[in-house]
Amino acid sequence: MTTSNHDTIVVLDYGSQYSQLIARRVREANVFCELFSWSTPAETILALKPRGFILSGGPNSVYDHGAPTLPDYVLASGLPVLGICYGMQLLAHGRGGRVASSLKREYGPATLQINEPDNPLFKDWRLESDAEPNSQQVWMSHGDKVEHLPPGFRPLAHTDNSPFAAAADVDRRYYAVQFHPEVVHTPQGRLVLSNFVHHVCGCASDWTPANFIEEQVTAVREQVGNGRVVLGLSGGVDSAVAAALIHKAIGSQLVCIFVDHGLLRQGEAAQVVATFQREQGMKLVAVNAVEEYLESLAGITDPEQKRRIIGEKFVRIFEREANKLGQIDFLAQGTIYPDVIESAGKDKKDAHVIKTHHNVGGLPEDMDFELVEPLRLLFKDEVRQIGTALGLPDSLVWRQPFPGPGLAIRCLGEITWERLERLRLADDIFVSELRQANMLRQDTQQSFAVLLPVKSVGVMGDGRTYQEVIALRAVTTEDFMTADWARLPYDLLARVSRRIVNEVEGVNRVVLDITSKPPGTIEWE
Ligand code: XMP
């Protein structure tokens, strides 16, 4: 997609778990922003013509052997820079300041005392109380800290523990904060980022759903011309919004193909067909590929292998079905920004591959469609905004995310129809109970059942049972990159457990997953 007509901020990622949040906060301020590894080549970054840089935090000390550095082009560009945490230390270290090494981390809330309330960084701050006019809560998470500011910098704020919790070289437009403005625990943090991009970098507020839709409609029309596009509809938010957007751009040149791979949740396949064919009036081909998938997944237990098989099969079935449709030139996908980043795509060479999300990394290289991916640069909440702006119903737009490989990565161990049905039923009980308790939006952003590849002994009636285990997974998350386990009411958990053990044949035990991400991931595979 073209972004050259937007004022752009580049976030350089130094490995903080909050790096994506920084980018999201900037976009929430209606300014376009992209996240790149700090080691991305200068040409890639400068080609975007950024209006400013933000340096993220990270786990290193500037004194570590081989620690990530500040690339020369950043300061040479003469553009504004905001360093956060490690980013601050890099900025100070590189310009002649002193960073004190420390083994002791400062982690948690701190009270920021502002020395220069008139600095643009603090514009419009609602300060904590009249009694302490210049104080505000911020979130700290650091070991090292800046002990001496470099020449040209002056302190803007301090905490008990950090004499330079915020500092700036106002003339050069270099700003630095030791605290994390991107996290919710810094209540005025969004304003710091918004102030930086608007009042220091001078960016316009032109990153809006309406602009995005207009641009993408144009971009899709340009890319596609008179060609025809197929889109794999999964029923999830991303592919639905992509379909609606592309449909708006090219109408009946788009054909949606829905592959029922047998890995969907209860009742989902029928619902997808009803929604898109009847309600949205799109061209939709529904393919029953259940047998085919089951055959190729037989005996496979490795998660990455499951993903690869599913991803590859998906494209092959597409090709086959698309061939039946005559000339098809493009494959559209609902790939979104976190998929791209987490799959350690081409522009993030030093990130670890945690999981290969099948709609990105799992595509075979010999695929003979050109891709149309209008949501590739969007975060999930932006996708939802676009969906709403396109007139899609709330029930679809606010649907919890469901992974491309579906129940295959929640059915741990071998995938058989019987085990899938077991999992589907248990999952439906859990999700229905959550829906009934009205807990599916605010209280947990993703919740599902997982079928474990272990058996345990139980007793039912007077008999011994030796059956499978269901794990319940429910998380709260803002961005699916970090997550906490949802504190669900005991009564609800008790009801779910009782119902699963009684209603799902082959399951005699229910456990609750209480792992946050990190160190866990949301899915079990
Ligand atoms: P993890 O398990 O990595 O999940 O914490 C983060 C989010 O990504 C979803 N997920 C996937 N989505 N293909 C997808 O399209 C995949 O292979 C895949 N694996 C995980 C997961 O459901 C969660 O929302």
Side-chain angles (χ1 to χ4, degrees), residues 8 45-46 49-53 73-82 172-175 196 200-201:
T8 299
I45 305 286
L46 295 174
K49 300 196 173 61
R51 297 287 305 260
F53 294 98
Y73 68 82
V74 173
L75 299 186
S77 70
L79 293 165
V81 181
L82 170 65
R172 291 191 177 80
R173 299 183 297 171
Y174 298 153
Y175 285 77
F196 175 71
V200 179
C201 303

Side-chain angles (χ1 to χ4, degrees), residues 137-148:
Q137 187 195 302
V138 293
W139 186 260
M140 291 286 190
S141 173
H142 64 107
D144 294 2
K145 65 183 172 203
V146 175
E147 220 171 48
H148 278 291

Side-chain angles (χ1 to χ4, degrees), residues 240-302:
V241 174
L245 187 55
I246 297 170
H247 189 242
K248 184 178 170 73
I250 57 166
S252 61
Q253 282 168 262
L254 170 72
V255 184
C256 293
I257 295 182
F258 167 59
V259 179
D260 182 2
H261 47 28
L263 305 166
L264 291 174
R265 290 164 291 190
Q266 193 83 310
E268 211 165 22
Q271 196 190 1
V272 168
V273 177
T275 308
F276 292 95
Q277 216 166 41
R278 275 179 245 138
E279 288 164 31
Q280 305 282 323
M282 292 186 201
K283 278 193 188 169
L284 174 69
V285 178
V287 187
N288 183 338
V290 178
E291 286 301 319
E292 211 174 312
Y293 269 92
L294 283 178
E295 251 167 54
S296 54
L297 287 168
I300 307 293
T301 54
D302 175 68

Side-chain angles (χ1 to χ4, degrees), residues 427-443:
D427 184 72
D428 190 48
I429 290 171
F430 185 30
V431 175
S432 308
E433 288 290 344
L434 284 167
R435 186 177 302 115
Q436 192 131 17
N438 203 15
M439 297 189 76
L440 275 179
R441 204 153 135 183
Q442 299 293 345
D443 304 277

